[in-house]
Amino acid sequence: MMLPGEQKRELLVKAECQHKGYGKDPYKRSIAELLDEGVINLDKPYGPTSHEVTAWVKNILHIKRAGHSGTLDPHVTGVLPIMLGDATRLVRVLLLSGKEYVCVMRLHADLPEERVRAILEEFTGVIYQRPPLVSAVKRQLRKRTIYYIDFLEMRGRDVLFKVGCEAGTYIRKLCHDVGEALGVGAHMYELRRTKSGPFKEDETLITLHDLTDAYYYYTQGDEAPLRKIILPMEYALRNMPRIIVKDSAVGALAEGAPLFVQGVCKVDTGIRQGDTVAVFTHMGEVVSIGTARMSTEELMAAKEGQALDTLCVMMKPGVYPPEWKKKLK
């Protein structure tokens, strides 16, 4: 079972391109650079709000800007991606990533396990939800997609299950609706997020205590623990379809120019018109995020035309030479 962005893609070569030696491997950035263009896969503790946790991260790292992607309620724990410095521009992009949770739902009456399994399966696919009374959004009926529900265990009236869902799905409301369908009522008893886009419960997941200790060692001259914790912002885009561009096109893109077909070297399979796509250099640095004007097949066949509409520019101007200016002279 996987979320939509987790399917494997293949890079297709559109044009042979020569790397000119510009740029830097994102994993070789200095700590100062990572504090301005990095991300953290934080294990949010029970109790504080997501905004409080993000503020603590800023204080621990002594930085001015940080932002989280996908708010967790105070009593919910688990994966909370936090973007540092200029990487906060990715927050809006990552908000739409699929999410996965492990939930304990408490039934309000005894029921046979087979009946609970059967009803849970009926909640996969497109469902209708009205946000709970206590929520930060307008309470209007809306559609959300449940990609999968995996029944794990049932003890008494407590049902443990894993659910993969579209961003903006209220698991609390899902439990209520499942209880209604069962005819006995139910509520969410405990919830933990296990995936948020490319972030998941793996070796990158760290606690606030880990971060505090790593920053202390950094101030004492040992940057290894902090380097292991702060990931380059490109890590947050691992599940997004990619386009690799020529070195000669990077300078203009970093100035906000749109991407044209002539600047493309490689294209991921499976891109459709309207998809959000990340533009990378040969070194693996993200240049910009855009909306595809062409599918993979159209882009591979095209000899000219605009490939993407730029949504946000991630690379600072001047990292690559502005070769387009030379051509104008």
Side-chain angles (χ1 to χ4, degrees):
M1 294 183 180
M2 61 175 64
L3 298 173
E6 295 178 311
Q7 71 267 29
K8 289 187 178 178
R9 299 175 186 270
E10 183 183 353
L11 264 179
L12 305 178
V13 177
K14 177 171 176 58
E16 293 296 336
C17 305
Q18 186 177 2
H19 177 45
K20 298 184 178 179
Y22 305 127
K24 180 193 283 188
D25 181 340
Y27 283 87
K28 292 183 179 177
R29 287 178 183 143
S30 67
I31 291 295
E33 289 171 326
L34 289 173
L35 287 172
D36 192 42
E37 295 180 333
V39 298
I40 292 172
N41 185 13
L42 188 75
D43 190 349
K44 180 193 165 296
Y46 183 96
T49 66
S50 297
H51 290 283
E52 287 173 330
V53 170
T54 303
W56 293 344
V57 168
K58 283 197 294 185
N59 291 336
I60 292 169
L61 296 176
H62 297 87
I63 58 175
K64 292 182 178 177
R65 284 191 299 154
H68 62 269
S69 176
T71 300
L72 292 175
D73 289 344
H75 59 279
V76 179
T77 64
V79 174
L80 182 69
I82 295 188
M83 319 300 163
L84 312 178
D86 284 350
T88 53
R89 279 176 280 181
L90 291 176
V91 168
R92 184 166 58 98
V93 175
L94 294 174
L95 279 177
L96 301 178
S97 301
K99 309 288 189 292
E100 183 188 87
Y101 300 88
V102 171
C103 176
V104 177
M105 175 178 66
R106 178 158 291 177
L107 304 174
H108 297 172
D110 296 328
L111 285 174
E113 182 177 311
E114 293 73 20
R115 177 163 167 71
V116 176
R117 282 176 178 269
I119 292 295
L120 277 176
E121 287 180 7
E122 291 182 8
F123 277 80
T124 55
V126 177
I127 63 170
Y128 288 86
Q129 274 199 336
R130 190 182 300 280
L133 284 172
V134 182
S135 64
V137 300
K138 189 175 180 181
R139 294 194 68 238
Q140 58 185 17
L141 198 64
R142 55 188 188 173
K143 290 193 287 188
R144 287 293 180 268
T145 301
I146 304 295
Y147 304 118
Y148 54 84
I149 294 184
D150 187 12
F151 176 96
L152 299 174
E153 188 179 354
M154 182 171 172
R155 290 186 183 179
R157 296 182 178 181
D158 289 341
V159 181
L160 180 67
F161 66 92
K162 181 185 294 184
V163 55
C165 57
E166 184 180 352
T169 304
Y170 286 92
I171 305 303
R172 193 179 351 147
K173 187 67 169 57
L174 177 68
C175 290
H176 174 270
D177 293 344
V178 170
E180 292 291 302
L182 287 166
V184 298
H187 66 274
M188 187 183 82
Y189 183 70
E190 192 171 340
L191 186 68
R192 180 172 176 78
R193 185 155 70 193
T194 50
K195 283 184 185 176
S196 176
F199 298 90
K200 56 187 176 181
E201 289 184 306
D202 58 12
E203 69 282 356
T204 66
L205 188 66
I206 56 104
T207 65
L208 285 167
H209 293 296
D210 295 331
L211 186 64
T212 303
D213 290 346
Y215 191 80
Y216 169 77
Y217 287 121
Y218 169 63
T219 61
Q220 300 303 306
D222 181 6
E223 67 175 39
L226 196 58
R227 180 170 290 284
K228 188 177 178 183
I229 283 176
I230 304 179
L231 307 163
M233 59 183 173
E234 285 79 1
Y235 181 91
L237 302 170
R238 289 190 308 159
N239 290 356
M240 192 172 287
R242 300 161 294 168
I243 290 179
I244 313 296
V245 294
K246 298 175 183 176
D247 282 0
S248 57
V250 176
L253 293 170
E255 298 275 1
L259 174 62
F260 287 89
V261 168
Q262 293 89 331
V264 175
C265 284
K266 298 177 182 177
V267 185
D268 255 340
T269 55
I271 296 175
R272 299 165 299 178
Q273 284 187 35
D275 281 354
T276 303
V277 177
V279 177
F280 288 93
T281 67
H282 282 283
M283 294 297 289
E285 307 147 292
V286 61
V287 184
S288 62
I289 311 292
T291 304
R293 282 196 173 195
M294 301 179 181
S295 67
T296 297
E297 293 75 18
E298 291 168 335
L299 219 166
M300 290 297 291
K303 293 185 178 178
E304 59 183 19
Q306 187 173 333
L308 291 182
D309 289 320
T310 302
L311 292 174
C312 65
V313 177
M314 299 304 300
M315 179 176 282
K316 292 181 174 66
V319 178
Y320 280 62
E323 299 200 4
W324 54 281
K325 289 184 178 178
K326 296 178 184 174
K327 293 177 183 176
L328 291 176
K329 291 180 179 178

